[in-house]
């Protein structure tokens, strides 16, 4: 999990740096939005991808080792440790953050519902106008347009406002918002989630502002006036969101041809950065940095101990797995080094509820093996071992 989070962070950080250097001040807003969304989603997905057909995807598999809950309960009960308490403490903090961010989102949704129910509603062309008679900046949610009072706007101002908010709806900006807010709940502690949100909402406003770009002076004045009002719920698109100065500057900015070249250069750069932190590439590069690892050699490594007895006497059936009735096979992959020691232990297929971590712990503890040989030379060899957790 830690390696996954590190890979996600590296992908997001590199992508944001490239965005700020190459695209932040350019007016290709549609491209910028696609870039931010793509790198944000790929940052979550790519570290999970296991490339097929690579040499690291294969290894000699050992026979199943069965772990019975009865054995673990009677003879090898896991004592409470400071490490376990630390994990529990971290889990409590994490879920408290999840509860807080979820509650905050629900409060904003409730606020929208209250505005809608208490407001004066009227159909007007594309919109259902909701006059709330409360001091706030105009904002939209889907085809609902919330304003304090229509009479506060001139005809020209109303046309600019309606065009701006309609652009948000037609460009499906709400879908981006939903994705970001859900990610906030799961990764509330990650600062780059908030940086992505800030950048993407800024691009949303730039795109919507383009609809009123024909009257930059009047529109700029209108933006300044609306910036003095209270902000809207963060689940909606507020007219006064994002730095007003940046929006005014971007109204008249047009990117040069050089900016188009930046876009072409950025695609391969981003692809390389993202691919570098996929799950399998990371594993392969790590192994390659050490030395070549074989999947099969002339003289295969041999365990110098009874593996079933060793695992059976050291492994513990996790209490959480026992309580939930979790059973299944955890497949652990590892390397037997030239000196016979086990390294690069990782779970290829898990069942959760603490079983994966327990299997990793015990395999990592294995005594040295008799190393394998290729052409008379000791080499590294991949192995996999299935550990079956079974309730009895």
């Amino acid at each position: 999990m830690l390696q996954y989070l590190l890979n996600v962070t590296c992908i997001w950080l590199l992508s944001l740096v490239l965005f700020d250097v190459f695209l932040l001040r350019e007016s290709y807003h549609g491209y910028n939005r696609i870039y931010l969304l793509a790198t944000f989603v790929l940052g979550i997905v790519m570290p999970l991808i296991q490339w097929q057909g690579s040499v690291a995807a294969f290894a000699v598999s050992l026979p199943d080792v069965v772990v019975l809950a009865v054995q673990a309960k009677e003879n090898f009960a896991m004592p409470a440790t400071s490490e376990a308490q630390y994990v529990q403490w971290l889990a409590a903090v994490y879920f408290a953050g999840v509860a807080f961010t979820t509650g905050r989102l629900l409060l904003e949704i409730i606020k929208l519902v209250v505005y809608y129910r208490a407001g004066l509603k009227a159909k007007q062309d594309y919109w259902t106008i909701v006059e709330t008679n409360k001091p706030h900046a105009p904002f939209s949610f889907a085809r609902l347009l919330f304003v304090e009072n229509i009479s506060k706007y001139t005809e020209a101002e109303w046309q600019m406002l309606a065009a701006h908010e309609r652009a948000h709806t037609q460009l499906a900006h709400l879908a981006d918002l939903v994705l970001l807010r859900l990610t906030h709940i799961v990764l509330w502690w990650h600062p780059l989630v908030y940086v992505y949100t800030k950048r993407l909402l800024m691009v949303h406003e730039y795109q919507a502002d383009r609809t009123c770009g024909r009257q930059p002076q009047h529109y700029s004045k209108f933006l300044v006036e609306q910036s003095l009002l209270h902000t809207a719920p963060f689940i909606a698109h507020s007219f006064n969101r994002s730095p007003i100065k940046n929006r005014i500057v971007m109204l008249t900015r047009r990117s040069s041809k050089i900016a188009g070249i930046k876009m072409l250069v950025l695609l391969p750069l981003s692809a390389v950065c993202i691919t570098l932190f996929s799950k399998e590439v990371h594993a392969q590069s790590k192994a390659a940095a050490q030395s070549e690892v074989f999947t099969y050699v002339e003289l295969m490594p041999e365990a110098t101990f009874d593996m079933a007895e060793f695992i059976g006497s050291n492994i513990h059936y996790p209490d959480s797995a026992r309580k939930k009735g979790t059973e299944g096979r955890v497949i652990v992959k590892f390397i037997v080094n030239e000196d016979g020691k086990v390294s690069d232990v990782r779970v290829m297929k898990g069942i959760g509820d603490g079983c994966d971590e327990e299997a990793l712990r015990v395999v990592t503890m294995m005594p040295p093996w008799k190393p394998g040989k290729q052409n008379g030379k000791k080499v590294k060899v991949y192995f996999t071992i299935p550990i079956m957790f079974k309730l009895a």
Side-chain angles (χ1 to χ4, degrees):
M1 177 57 74
L2 179 60
Q3 185 61 56
Y4 169 77
L5 293 174
L6 287 173
N7 286 0
V8 171
T9 301
C10 288
I11 291 173
W12 281 351
L13 183 60
L14 287 169
S15 299
L16 286 168
V17 168
L18 290 173
F19 178 82
D20 284 358
V21 171
F22 290 99
L23 297 175
L24 182 64
R25 286 167 290 277
E26 302 298 341
S27 60
Y28 295 108
H29 307 315
Y31 178 89
N32 289 359
R33 179 192 177 196
I34 292 172
Y35 174 86
L36 288 170
L37 283 173
T39 55
F40 184 74
V41 174
L42 287 173
I44 297 172
V45 174
M46 286 297 287
L48 298 173
I49 292 178
Q50 180 112 13
W51 301 110
Q52 298 300 316
S54 63
V55 67
F58 301 93
V60 174
S61 181
L62 299 169
D64 280 20
V65 176
V66 180
V67 181
L68 297 176
V70 172
Q71 290 178 318
K73 185 175 181 181
E74 292 178 353
N75 303 318
F76 311 109
M78 184 181 294
T81 63
S82 58
E83 182 180 353
Q85 292 172 352
Y86 179 69
V87 171
Q88 290 176 354
W89 182 82
L90 281 180
V93 172
Y94 171 75
F95 285 111
V98 169
F100 175 80
T101 50
T102 302
R104 186 179 175 210
L105 178 61
L106 290 175
L107 285 176
E108 293 294 324
I109 294 173
I110 291 171
K111 187 177 180 180
L112 275 177
V113 173
V114 170
Y115 275 161
Y116 179 79
R117 288 186 174 181
L120 180 63
K121 294 172 279 293
K123 286 281 188 179
Q124 187 181 106
D125 300 326
Y126 184 82
W127 298 105
T128 295
I129 310 297
V130 182
E131 294 182 272
T132 64
N133 290 315
K134 297 183 182 297
H136 60 78
F139 63 91
S140 62
F141 184 85
R143 292 201 176 192
L144 299 175
L145 179 54
F146 294 81
V147 295
E148 181 182 351
N149 197 299
I150 296 179
S151 62
K152 294 185 64 175
Y153 303 99
T154 65
E155 180 63 27
E157 289 174 341
W158 181 256
Q159 292 300 324
M160 287 189 289
L161 171 61
H164 176 97
E165 297 303 324
R166 183 167 183 168
H168 281 310
T169 304
Q170 291 179 331
L171 291 169
H173 288 167
L174 180 60
D176 301 2
L177 269 181
V178 171
L179 171 64
L180 292 169
R181 298 308 170 191
L182 291 177
T183 309
H184 277 197
I185 293 174
V186 179
L187 296 175
W188 58 267
W189 51 270
H190 204 303
L192 293 185
V193 174
Y194 299 91
V195 176
Y196 260 100
T197 300
K198 183 178 179 180
R199 295 287 187 276
L200 197 53
L201 290 179
M202 178 180 64
V203 171
H204 285 179
E205 297 307 319
Y206 290 162
Q207 284 188 296
D209 288 342
R210 273 286 177 86
T211 60
C212 307
R214 296 176 183 175
Q215 302 173 337
Q217 291 182 343
H218 297 293
Y219 188 70
S220 299
K221 180 183 177 182
F222 187 48
L223 278 178
V224 173
E225 291 173 352
Q226 298 303 304
S227 68
L228 302 176
L229 298 173
H230 297 293
T231 56
F234 61 68
I235 191 62
H237 276 99
S238 175
F239 189 83
N240 69 348
R241 185 171 284 150
S242 299
I244 299 300
K245 180 182 176 181
N246 292 353
R247 290 172 63 181
I248 292 173
V249 170
M250 196 60 72
L251 281 173
T252 55
R253 174 168 290 174
R254 295 295 179 269
S255 294
S256 64
K257 293 182 179 179
I258 297 178
I261 299 175
K262 290 182 186 179
M263 294 165 59
L264 294 176
V265 172
L266 197 57
L267 285 172
L269 278 176
S270 301
V272 170
C273 290
I274 291 172
T275 306
L276 279 174
F277 294 97
S278 67
K279 181 177 180 180
E280 188 61 26
V281 169
H282 174 79
Q284 288 183 25
S285 61
K286 181 178 178 182
Q290 297 171 344
S291 65
E292 184 179 3
V293 185
F294 294 83
T295 56
Y296 190 83
V297 291
E298 295 171 352
L299 183 61
M300 293 296 291
E302 294 180 12
T304 57
F305 53 96
D306 188 321
M307 189 173 300
E309 181 181 348
F310 172 80
I311 293 178
S313 61
N314 285 280
I315 205 163
H316 312 289
Y317 210 113
D319 289 337
S320 58
R322 190 187 297 111
K323 290 176 182 177
K324 294 180 181 179
T326 301
E327 294 182 303
R329 180 182 284 105
V330 177
I331 299 178
V332 180
K333 186 174 183 178
F334 59 94
I335 294 174
V336 177
N337 293 316
E338 299 98 325
D339 58 1
K341 293 182 179 179
V342 170
S343 69
D344 196 27
V345 183
R346 50 198 174 100
V347 172
M348 302 300 293
K349 179 179 178 295
I351 58 175
D353 291 326
C355 295
D356 304 350
E357 291 78 6
E358 183 62 12
L360 279 175
R361 184 185 71 83
V362 174
V363 172
T364 303
M365 291 170 51
M366 283 197 298
W369 291 44
K370 182 179 179 181
K373 290 184 179 181
Q374 181 72 8
N375 296 325
K377 182 181 178 182
K378 294 179 180 179
V379 292
K380 297 181 178 181
V381 182
Y382 280 114
F383 271 92
T384 63
I385 179 170
I387 300 178
M388 174 67 76
F389 286 83
K390 187 174 180 61
L391 295 168

